[in-house]
Amino acid sequence: MHTTDLSPLLQTPGPYATVFVDVSHDSENGAHEHELRVREACDQLAAQGADTSVIDQVAERLSEPVDRPSPVARLLVATA
C-alpha cells in the first residue's frame, strides 16, 4: 500500500470523520442493505456534529459501486 497520498490528510487539522462500513452486496437484498448501512453511517456522523459537506462526500464515496466479491468494506477518513 502506498501511503504518500495520505500525507496531506495527516497534515490537515481536524476534526476528522472516520467511517468503516460493510459495502457487500452478496444477498438478495444486498443493494437495499448497503443503502441502509450508508444511511446509518451518515446519520451517526450527523448526530456527532459532522459538517454537512463532509457527510455528503462520505455518502457519495460509500455509495460508489463495489466490484469485489463479498465480504468487502470501505474505510473513509474525511474533513472539510
Side-chain angles (χ1 to χ4, degrees), residues 7-76:
S7 181
L9 177 63
L10 296 173
Q11 296 172 12
T12 303
Y16 297 100
T18 306
V19 180
F20 184 75
V21 176
D22 175 2
V23 293
S24 302
H25 285 89
D26 60 340
S27 71
E28 183 178 325
N29 297 324
H32 179 67
E33 291 171 1
H34 177 225
E35 180 183 322
L36 293 175
R37 289 189 296 265
V38 170
R39 187 181 317 155
E40 175 63 21
C42 292
D43 288 348
Q44 288 182 21
L45 288 175
Q48 295 174 31
D51 187 81
T52 304
S53 66
V54 171
I55 296 169
D56 291 345
Q57 287 295 314
V58 166
E60 184 177 326
R61 297 297 180 269
L62 289 176
S63 298
E64 290 175 357
V66 177
D67 63 350
R68 305 228 183 250
S70 296
V72 63
R74 286 198 170 122
L75 170 67
L76 300 174

